[in-house]
């Protein structure tokens, strides 16, 4: 503590500045909202900043209070008064005149104008922008014919082999990404510590010795600038390059595995932004982990490898064409997520369980085994690379990025320690729930007030600066020097302002890589840290984590939560040691581990997969039971207050995910109420121009095929649809039109001949970019031709009757991964369609200790233009 | 080796006697089959033995060549010529005269008499005796009305709480069973070693010193008698008390989790027979493990605890009535299986994964978490009890029955060792496939020739005697004495005929508990065993395991396979050490572990769950990757030759299980072909006597409800069924009749009033014993009454059209756990029904490197009476 007296004032002043700036920022944002009319000086500056850029598309987190921009649709048995006017089309039967459409639309618009907003001002919604994955196989004639080919069994064999090959490369490439991040961070750390810290400090000491003038502000400034530059890069990547790369990416992967297509979630740009960004964010000293982003990265790698092409550069290697569809891609992404976890924590079993927990709604058991293979290869490769990098080539002992080290002395625990673990679990649950509550509030605050890119960049830089300041400030205020050698694990001799042969325990916590800090907290002997150090660190890190999570940088919650938990867990361990001085076998490391698990479990509320991950990351099964206990209690306690952070984020983003079980108290909600009755059906033979009109005036993705469509006999607004014959997807219709599979005559034999020209491969390879109707090369003559949909439609889609209950429908959707479920009457005549979104609209909520079903509306996002 | 010269001759003679007896037994059995006409002296003895008892029901393994006793039915679109004549009933419409039935049946029987057997003599079949579980919820009016009750949310809460309570007790009781077995075995071992071996040997030594006469035969005889008595008890329990308790029980649990009701698989009698039997079998020195049976025991405990009553003693505690149905029971049994694995191996994650791997076809995600809780509690309780029993009360360090100890020195492995692990995996796959092949042959042999209870008892005793003989013989022939202290782990000083301060390494392997032998093989230093000891032991134990598995005793394959594998794995480790004397870090224990995993993986072919189990049992995550690698390779190599042992057993038992994925090359098999068209439907209002007739003349369990039934207009043999309205199960009809829910008039309002008297609880509690029609208290007047099925039937069963493909149907069955799927035409008129068995009939086989679909027939078992 050589220079404290000199610089203490400076640092306290600096801290005050930071606090004031932050407070001002918050107050400003609030004021701006409250009194939008009165513009202050600051307002002008910020408004200027705001106008410098238009907000980029932000897929998983909608910004701004954009409820005014949406129309609202409630689907239901009756015609919904708020529905999108274009869907009036379905009321036009195929035999009616299509030019009635525009008139009706005008009428609808007229009606809409006189509509008032519903009384509920803030009501939760599901966004309509998320489409579901096509997990169901369209078992059309092409698909069935393929099996009759003489060499089909060879194809099967080749596909099976290719799946394994792809899984192998998923593992290898995910591991490379993980190892690259780790190596980048290693060099970043070297720069920070060896060049900035030690170099500048030596110069400072020299200078102080010579001139007597303290120059600590130089070190401090250099440090902060370095951090801010790195965090700035990370924030730039997220804000301007790939918004989806922000945050941990786990919610996105959860949604994807649940069966929701999140735009751009798997793309090379996302991967680069994510990997570079996370290295910068963590290297920049933010309280963020690199493990969560690894799961997302693994998913992206998987999607990339399995497609054998790259959309960004437009290159197509022509490989694995058979895997270019949603079904295969989702399977590979789940393998990639498993590989990501395996690379991050050296936890192949935990990774497999993670994918299983999130994706087991509809599951292919063979996939488990391939997923596990990917995870294993990934873990092995990371191990190999890091062992080589750490100079122990060939000895496979670095099993993941987060390597928590091993308990040197094999430890046990006693039955009487179980209540303490329970207590830690309860604490973790409460602390986690508090974290989620505050972070959700913060996210809502950000959604409203920090929506502008420059504001978001500023916030990221502010957090980086505050993090660095806090570390330095704590270092000054808390005096905790220990002789070198007391902690067997510390890797960086952080002498700083301690005496020679001493190191600062505070610096050990704040300036090491977070993974190393966790390791130190778990394995250092009991006297390694002062109590006050741990208290201050736990509180500060909790706050920093809270602020950091949700920033516009890539970064996970795992390691920061573990670190916070390990700090207060260790405190509890020390307290127990103080209270029961005669008990044997107490070691603070054990309680630090429990605390870490409790804090993380309280925040993310994952169950068995998290247990497996922590056990595998600590490489020790002995504490398996306490860890499970703690996680279980933390989840229970936390669930009393709110949902896990990922689920909360998903709810905030209004993604239509289907949870583990159907909503309670929904047995009496029937398909009749769930379905959308404004379904647009087509007849098996249909004119090209009719198809074009349907495609251009609706956004539907699936069109049931019925044997005939008649004007309603009962004077209802909908036509009478006949018996269900199948279902056809928008992509399939586009493929038919693009390949010109149509004939001038309605019943020409030429139809079938021409259909020989399309093969299954065309339909398996989905191409969501090719959906532009204008690009179709169709002449006026073409538009008068007839298309036969029969060979291409899925001829036996699943259907339920009008009296099917919501839980029944829910189980079908979850169990089979459906996108559409047709609703028919007792005579198999089409009456409506249920999409995944319609099912996800019904949520159970607890209200006065009773479950009530809340019906969300589907918000149609309209472009501001 | 003091007394070898004296007794060597005696022992070799004894071994020869055993070999001769065994050979004679085999030859006799074969001869008996070949020349049934010529009766020999032995024949007379055995025939006499055979007649002393009639064979007991043997649910999972059919004995005897009973193909002659079965009629064969192929279902299919057209009327099957071999169908059971009683099902001619369905051709009688409800409006036709029912007395036409008997005439038609007589005609059918006449036709049957002129039928010849199909040309294929031996064709695989599915047994019709296995019914499916009712996993689907019958969402009838009662079920829906329940939710409208004002206190329903309290019921929900109570159910949820009760589920957790039940899971807690499942864990505790499973652990008690496990610990009891372990403690029983501990005392059995004490008796064997301290009293028989050491006591008699001391007396022998004394006697030899005094009189010079060797008396080793006394020791040997006492040992063998002791073993035979224990094994005799085990065999008695299996043969006469509870046949289902034989073997490991894992195939039965697999089938149950897959959705097949195995008779008596969960019952108290089974549990007692299993627990006592396995203690006796393992205590009797058989090459059998106690871990597999623990999984079965856990399942039984779960079924017992969750039902809150006991069928054996007729006691009913009135608890948990809401869980008395197939759906809840299956969920709890999966938790019990997980708890069983957790208790056996201290592997809660492995246990959960086991249940997930076997049962994930239709899955309730909340269940995963409860299952994990059960497993954790079970592991914890075993830990506690065994720690207490082993005198280290409170210190939780015994985490399972099979505790493989920890690697003292933390070990690592090098990249260049990976090829060796691969090699071990290949070896394990080949060895496992060989094991499965031979064991299947043995099972077929037993099925044919060792079907009589006394023969089976004799075989069990023979194996017990041979096992003991072999151990003694090896001890004599192989001279492997080591100074005490060389192996850090050996727990029983087995000096035997070694010098003082020495112990016999052979005795260490043969006479310890198998779990301890595994531990010794994994952790002893390199010079603990002579090469020849390991070679002889591996071969002998392989043969013993082969012979033991499938005997009429409870006993698993896990530990014997691990032990065999550990022996040859250790050999390979020693060989590598010899070949590369300069390499560092080689330890035979590492290779022993890999060998153990490879051998077990090659036999059972489990994937991720086995990996987790082995990692958790060794309590060390370091070798996770090699273990996975080895298991993966072993499975791949093994799968080239045959299926895993459990699947083979299930196939042999002809159980209709649905595998992981639909059979390949089956896209063009349509529902039309899969379904049974001889479905019996009923109308919503039906007379009691008609119901009675249907119930008494068919064995069907589900009856579709259609709006009308008319005589065929197209002159087909089947009536024309109307639109599907629902499905009703046999149990539900019985409940209606038993509760007298019928009225004299067809449309009496009294119907609904009376139906108030039945509540959902009546229908939720399934009672399969109450199916006797004769016990119904119905008068002639009652039989003329009308029943309204509408409030009780499931009103919206899932249905597919005639053109649905087999993979589609398969996925629905797997994904939703269905028992029945209705097949309708385009107008929703009933055309047939698909049951689980109909789907399971289609198996993929490889034939000349191509996949072909084999269609099994469903063998109707007729009672010999």
């Amino acid at each position: 503590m050589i220079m404290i007296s000199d610089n203490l004032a400076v640092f306290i002043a600096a801290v005050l500045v930071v606090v004031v700036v932050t407070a001002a920022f918050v107050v400003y944002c609030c004021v701006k909202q409250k009194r939008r009319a009165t513009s202050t000086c600051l307002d002008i500056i910020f408004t200027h900043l705001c106008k410098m850029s238009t907000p980029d598309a932000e897929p998983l987190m909608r910004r701004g209070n954009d409820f005014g921009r949406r129309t609202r649709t409630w689907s239901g048995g009756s015609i919904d008064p708020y529905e999108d006017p274009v869907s009036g089309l379905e009321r036009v039967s195929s035999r009616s005149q299509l030019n009635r459409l525009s008139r009706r639309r005008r009428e609808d618009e007229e009606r809409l104008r006189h509509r008032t907003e519903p009384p509920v001002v803030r009501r939760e919604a599901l966004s309509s922008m998320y489409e579901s994955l096509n997990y169901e196989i369209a078992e059309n004639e092409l698909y069935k014919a393929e099996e009759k080919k003489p060499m089909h069994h060879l194809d099967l064999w080749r596909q099976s082999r290719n799946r394994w090959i792809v899984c192998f490369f998923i593992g290898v490439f995910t591991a490379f990404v993980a190892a690259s991040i780790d190596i980048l961070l290693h060099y970043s750390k070297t720069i920070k510590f060896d060049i900035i810290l030690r170099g500048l400090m030596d110069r400072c000491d020299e200078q102080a010795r010579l001139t007597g003038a303290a120059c600590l502000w130089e070190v401090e400034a250099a440090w902060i600038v370095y951090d801010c530059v790195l965090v700035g890069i990370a924030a730039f990547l997220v804000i301007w390059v790939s918004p989806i790369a922000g945050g941990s990416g786990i919610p996105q992967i959860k949604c994807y595995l649940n069966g929701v297509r999140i735009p751009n979630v798997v793309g090379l740009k996302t991967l680069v932004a994510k990997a570079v960004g996370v290295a910068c964010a963590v290297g920049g000293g933010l309280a963020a982990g690199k493990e969560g982003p690894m799961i997302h990265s693994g998913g992206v790698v998987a999607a990339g490898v399995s497609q054998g092409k790259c959309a960004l550069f437009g290159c197509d290697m022509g490989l694995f064409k058979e895997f270019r569809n949603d079904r295969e891609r989702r399977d590979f992404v789940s393998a990639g997520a498993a590989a990501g976890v395996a690379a991050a924590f050296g936890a192949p079993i935990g990774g497999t369980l993670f994918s299983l927990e999130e994706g087991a709604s509809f599951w292919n058991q063979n996939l488990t085994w391939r997923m596990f293979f990917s995870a294993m290869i990934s873990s092995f490769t990371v191990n190999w690379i890091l062992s080589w990098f750490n100079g122990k080539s060939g000895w496979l002992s670095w099993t993941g990025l987060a390597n928590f080290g091993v308990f040197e002395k094999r430890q046990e625990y006693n039955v009487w320690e179980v209540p303490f673990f329970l207590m830690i679990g309860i604490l973790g649950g409460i602390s986690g729930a508090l974290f989620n509550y505050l972070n959700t509030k913060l996210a809502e605050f950000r959604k409203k007030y920090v929506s502008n890119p420059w504001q978001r960049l500023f916030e990221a830089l502010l957090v980086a600066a505050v993090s660095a300041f806090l570390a330095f400030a704590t270092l000054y205020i808390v005096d905790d020097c220990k002789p070198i050698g007391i902690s067997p694990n510390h890797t960086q001799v952080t002498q700083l302002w301690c005496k020679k042969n001493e190191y600062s325990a505070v610096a050990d916590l704040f300036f090491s890589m977070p993974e190393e800090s966790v390791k130190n907290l778990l394995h250092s002997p009991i006297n390694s840290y002062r109590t006050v150090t741990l208290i201050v660190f736990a509180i500060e890190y909790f706050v920093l984590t809270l602020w950091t999570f949700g920033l516009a940088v890539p970064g996970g919650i795992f390691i920061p939560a573990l670190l916070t938990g390990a700090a207060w867990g260790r405190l509890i361990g020390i307290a127990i040691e103080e209270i029961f001085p005669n008990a044997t076998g107490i070691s603070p490391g054990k309680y630090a581990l429990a605390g870490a698990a409790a804090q993380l479990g309280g925040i993310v509320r994952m169950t068995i997969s998290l247990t497996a991950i922590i056990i595998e990351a600590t490489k020790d099964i002995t504490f398996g039971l306490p860890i499970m206990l703690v996680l279980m209690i933390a989840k229970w306690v936390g669930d009393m207050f709110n949902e896990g952070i990922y689920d909360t984020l998903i709810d905030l983003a209004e993604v239509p995910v289907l949870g583990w079980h159907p909503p309670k108290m929904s047995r009496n909600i029937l398909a009749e109420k769930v379905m959308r009755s404004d379904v647009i059906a087509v007849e098996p033979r249909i004119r090209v121009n009719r198809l074009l009109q349907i495609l251009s005036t609706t956004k539907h993705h699936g069109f049931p095929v019925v044997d005939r469509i008649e004007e309603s006999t009962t004077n209802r607004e909908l036509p009478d649809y006949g018996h269900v014959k199948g279902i056809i997807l928008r992509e399939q219709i586009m493929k038919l039109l693009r390949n010109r599979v149509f004939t001038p005559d309605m019943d020409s034999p030429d139809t079938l001949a021409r259909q020989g020209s399309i093969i299954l491969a065309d339909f398996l390879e989905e191409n969501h970019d090719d959906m532009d109707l204008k690009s179709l090369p169709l002449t006026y003559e073409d538009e008068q031709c007839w298309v036969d949909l029969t060979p291409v439609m899925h001829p036996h889609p699943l259907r339920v009757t009008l009296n099917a209950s919501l839980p029944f429908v829910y189980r079908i959707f979850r169990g089979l991964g459906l996108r559409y479920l047709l609703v028919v009457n007792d005579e198999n005549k089409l009456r409506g369609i249920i999409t995944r979104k319609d099912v996800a609209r019904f949520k159970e909520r607890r209200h006065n200790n009773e479950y009530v079903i809340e019906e969300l509306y589907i918000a149609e996002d309209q472009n501001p233009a």
Side-chain angles (χ1 to χ4, degrees), chain A:
Chain A
M1 303 295 287
I2 299 165
M3 279 180 282
I4 288 187
S5 47
D6 297 341
N7 289 292
L8 187 56
V10 176
F11 269 82
I12 290 176
V15 170
L16 284 178
V17 167
V18 168
V19 170
V20 168
V21 169
T22 313
F25 180 67
V26 172
V27 169
Y28 155 71
C29 289
C30 295
V31 165
K32 188 183 164 199
Q33 168 69 9
K34 290 258 159 113
R35 305 186 186 169
R36 216 174 261 269
T38 56
S39 69
T40 63
C41 179
L42 265 173
D43 253 27
I44 291 162
I45 297 167
F46 272 85
T47 315
H48 182 69
L49 278 177
C50 297
K51 280 184 185 154
M52 279 176 70
S53 159
T54 51
D56 200 351
E58 176 78 328
L60 200 66
M61 183 67 86
R62 190 180 326 295
R63 280 163 295 134
N65 189 357
D66 49 4
F67 285 96
R69 283 196 280 117
R70 299 166 172 193
T71 62
R72 296 163 183 230
T73 55
W74 282 271
S75 67
S78 62
I79 297 297
D80 167 24
Y82 293 99
E83 74 185 337
D84 191 38
V86 292
S87 58
L89 177 64
E90 73 280 1
R91 280 171 237 151
V92 185
S93 83
S94 68
R95 296 184 187 175
S96 306
Q97 292 301 311
L98 278 161
N99 54 22
R100 282 163 57 192
L101 177 71
S102 55
R103 182 173 51 79
R104 293 183 67 161
R105 190 186 290 179
R106 258 179 282 121
E107 288 169 10
D108 283 339
E109 279 166 4
E110 196 61 33
R111 268 195 292 133
L112 269 175
R113 215 165 291 156
H114 295 293
R115 207 175 266 171
T116 51
E117 277 287 284
V120 186
V121 178
R122 176 79 177 87
R123 192 168 164 188
E124 283 187 79
L126 287 182
S127 170
S128 71
M129 68 183 295
Y130 300 109
E131 291 299 326
S132 306
L133 299 177
N134 290 325
Y135 201 70
E136 204 184 6
I137 299 168
E139 299 192 347
N140 52 27
E141 284 179 18
L142 296 170
Y143 179 78
K144 284 182 176 145
E146 203 196 29
E147 205 175 67
K148 290 180 181 148
K149 287 195 298 187
M151 288 294 107
H152 182 61
H153 64 276
L154 283 184
D155 283 349
L156 284 180
W157 184 83
R158 197 172 43 78
Q159 272 181 31
S160 171
R161 184 203 59 193
N162 283 356
R163 284 201 188 94
W164 285 100
I165 293 176
V166 168
C167 282
F168 177 81
F169 283 108
I170 288 171
V172 170
F173 290 142
T174 306
F176 269 103
V177 173
S180 314
I181 293 176
D182 208 55
I183 291 170
L184 273 181
L185 279 174
H186 176 85
Y187 285 118
S188 161
K189 197 178 68 175
T190 313
I191 293 173
K192 248 169 129 171
F193 283 92
D194 290 0
I195 299 176
I196 299 181
L197 203 63
R198 293 240 66 85
L200 283 179
M201 278 191 63
D202 288 351
R203 221 177 51 129
C204 248
D205 286 356
E206 188 75 10
Q207 199 178 334
R209 205 164 47 77
L210 292 176
T211 67
C215 68
L216 199 68
W217 62 271
E218 280 182 16
V219 183
E220 183 201 325
W223 180 280
I224 289 171
V225 167
Y226 181 81
D227 274 7
C228 282
V229 166
L230 283 186
V231 171
I233 294 172
F236 169 81
L237 286 172
V238 167
I239 297 169
W240 283 282
V241 177
S242 173
I244 194 83
S248 80
I250 293 181
Q252 286 89 337
I253 289 292
K254 274 181 87 145
C255 293
Y256 192 87
L257 293 184
N258 195 275
V260 181
R261 192 195 311 278
I262 308 279
N264 300 320
V265 71
V266 287
L268 186 61
K269 207 167 70 170
T270 311
L271 177 63
V272 172
K274 193 111 206 171
V276 176
V278 77
C280 290
V282 177
L286 289 185
K290 58 190 186 291
E291 283 72 17
M294 268 319 298
I295 299 172
H296 188 178
S297 303
V300 180
V301 167
V305 171
S306 66
Q307 303 304 292
K309 65 172 182 180
C310 167
L312 188 62
F313 300 123
C315 65
D316 186 339
M317 287 178 283
L319 290 168
F320 310 134
K321 277 195 176 162
E322 65 268 35
F323 300 147
R324 292 181 187 172
N325 56 65
D326 279 350
R327 185 186 180 86
E328 297 284 350
R329 200 183 297 120
R330 174 180 173 279
D331 285 357
F332 286 119
V333 168
S334 65
V341 177
F345 298 99
I349 295 178
T352 311
L353 280 172
F354 173 82
S355 285
L356 213 57
E357 199 169 297
E358 301 307 336
S361 62
F362 36 109
W363 202 250
N364 171 356
Q365 271 281 15
N366 270 328
L367 178 60
T368 319
W369 195 213
R370 280 200 300 272
M371 224 160 62
F372 191 43
F373 177 70
S374 265
M376 195 190 91
I377 292 293
S378 161
S379 184
F380 182 81
T381 312
V382 165
N383 204 324
W384 199 349
I385 300 175
L386 291 188
S387 295
W388 163 79
F389 183 73
N390 288 293
K392 222 185 153 198
S393 179
W395 290 98
L396 305 175
S397 40
W398 274 262
T399 50
L401 302 191
N403 192 337
F404 300 146
V406 291
F407 286 92
E408 279 301 307
K409 233 179 60 195
R410 193 157 288 276
Q411 299 196 332
E412 289 172 350
Y413 64 100
N414 198 307
V415 154
W416 62 260
E417 291 183 85
V418 170
F420 293 116
F421 292 130
L422 289 179
M423 198 186 72
I424 289 177
I426 293 172
L427 269 180
I430 293 171
S431 148
L434 180 70
F435 183 94
N436 291 359
Y437 173 78
L438 294 175
N439 197 268
T440 311
K441 288 286 158 213
L442 190 62
E444 282 171 4
F445 178 84
R446 282 193 181 122
K447 207 167 158 176
K448 278 188 196 160
Y449 307 119
V450 198
S451 52
N452 175 285
W454 292 101
Q455 289 174 337
R456 299 175 76 208
L457 179 63
F458 176 74
E459 195 197 0
L461 295 178
L462 183 65
V463 175
V466 170
S467 302
F469 262 123
L470 264 184
F472 272 96
T474 314
L475 195 62
Y476 268 88
I477 294 164
V478 180
D479 168 18
D480 191 0
C481 287
K482 304 278 175 189
I484 287 176
I486 201 168
S487 157
N489 290 313
H490 74 94
T491 48
Q492 182 85 23
V493 180
T494 41
Q495 184 194 335
L496 294 178
W497 300 277
C498 291
K499 294 197 198 75
K500 216 175 169 184
N501 292 327
E502 283 192 349
Y503 73 99
S504 162
V506 179
D508 202 34
L509 288 177
F510 268 110
F511 290 159
S512 306
M513 297 304 296
E515 288 81 5
E516 277 163 23
S517 307
V518 174
K519 215 191 276 189
N520 290 345
L521 283 172
L522 295 190
H523 303 299
S524 301
I526 193 157
N527 55 350
S528 302
Y529 302 96
R530 279 177 58 197
T531 315
V532 64
T533 312
L534 291 174
I535 294 175
V536 170
F537 178 74
I539 294 172
E540 284 180 1
Y541 216 75
F542 183 87
V543 173
L544 283 180
T545 309
L546 187 63
W547 198 5
T548 309
F549 194 70
L551 270 192
V553 293
I557 189 78
F558 270 67
I559 292 293
L562 287 172
L563 193 47
T564 313
W568 62 254
R570 197 178 170 92
L571 268 176
I572 291 177
I574 292 172
I576 293 171
E577 176 102 11
E578 293 281 323
I579 299 167
F580 305 99
N582 299 323
T584 54
I586 292 175
S587 102
K590 200 157 61 177
Y591 290 93
L593 179 60
Q599 179 71 53
L600 183 55
I603 292 173
V604 301
R605 314 276 165 78
M606 282 156 64
T607 58
I608 180 167
S609 59
L610 187 58
T611 315
I613 288 172
I614 294 184
I615 290 177
E616 285 182 283
T618 53
K619 283 203 196 175
D620 196 338
I621 212 97
T622 320
F623 293 121
L625 287 175
I627 289 173
M628 284 174 219
L629 201 66
V630 153
L631 283 176
M632 192 169 274
I633 300 291
K635 183 177 158 66
W636 275 344
V637 171
D639 279 350
M640 285 179 201
F641 299 102
N642 48 30
E643 285 186 291
I645 188 82
Y646 299 134
D647 294 323
T648 312
L649 286 179
I650 290 171
D651 276 0
L652 270 179
E654 307 174 350
V655 183
V657 294
L658 298 182
W660 277 6
H661 54 81
K664 290 191 179 76
M665 305 294 282
S666 62
R667 288 177 195 171
N668 289 293
I669 298 173
L670 301 187
E672 218 166 355
K673 183 165 159 57
V674 179
M675 73 185 187
R676 297 182 69 99
S677 53
D678 58 344
V679 54
I680 298 180
V682 293
E683 287 176 327
R685 303 243 162 166
I686 189 169
R687 270 190 201 274
V688 172
N689 56 3
R690 166 85 183 141
L691 277 180
L692 287 176
Q693 251 160 334
I694 288 177
L695 293 180
S696 60
T697 50
T698 68
K699 290 174 181 169
H700 296 199
H701 281 79
F703 302 94
V705 181
V706 294
D707 55 359
R708 70 201 147 67
I709 304 177
E710 280 165 8
E711 283 217 71
S712 174
T713 50
T714 54
N715 209 14
R716 289 160 62 234
E717 291 193 65
L718 287 171
D720 272 356
Y721 289 124
H723 302 117
V724 170
K725 303 299 278 185
I727 192 167
I728 191 157
L729 302 180
R730 181 177 279 260
E731 291 96 81
Q732 292 168 336
I733 296 177
M734 290 297 289
K735 283 269 159 59
L736 281 178
L737 295 181
R738 193 173 297 280
N739 287 290
R740 305 177 60 81
V741 189
F742 39 72
T743 50
D745 304 320
M746 189 169 171
D747 291 303
S748 159
D750 189 31
T751 312
L752 289 171
R754 189 179 274 280
Q755 267 152 7
S757 65
I758 46 170
I759 50 167
L760 184 62
D762 290 335
F763 285 91
L764 280 186
E765 186 180 337
E766 282 165 18
N767 200 336
H768 300 286
D769 313 326
D770 260 10
M771 302 297 278
D772 187 14
L773 280 174
K774 299 210 179 66
S775 70
L776 289 176
L778 297 177
T779 63
Y780 178 77
E781 284 75 29
D782 289 341
E783 293 191 11
Q784 307 309 313
C785 287
W786 291 84
V787 182
D788 183 7
L789 304 177
T790 327
V792 175
M793 69 186 188
H794 179 30
H796 44 79
L798 213 56
R799 62 206 78 177
V800 295
T801 44
L802 290 163
N803 62 347
S805 69
L806 177 60
F808 184 79
V809 169
Y810 197 99
R811 281 193 296 270
I812 294 176
F813 264 89
R814 278 236 5 145
L816 302 175
L818 293 191
R819 185 170 179 186
Y820 301 107
L821 186 63
L822 303 184
V823 183
V824 295
N825 68 3
D826 263 353
E827 273 132 34
N828 195 30
K829 289 188 175 168
L830 183 69
R831 281 295 168 267
I833 193 167
I834 299 178
T835 67
R836 190 187 171 81
K837 252 173 272 179
D838 298 322
V839 179
R841 280 195 314 126
F842 295 87
K843 298 261 182 207
E844 71 181 42
R845 300 276 180 227
R846 282 174 74 169
H847 181 68
N848 291 339
N849 263 327
E850 284 187 38
Y851 287 104
V852 290
I853 293 292
E854 195 178 350
E855 203 181 330
L856 311 184
Y857 68 93
I858 296 177
E860 299 276 351
D861 284 289
Q862 296 179 327
N863 291 331

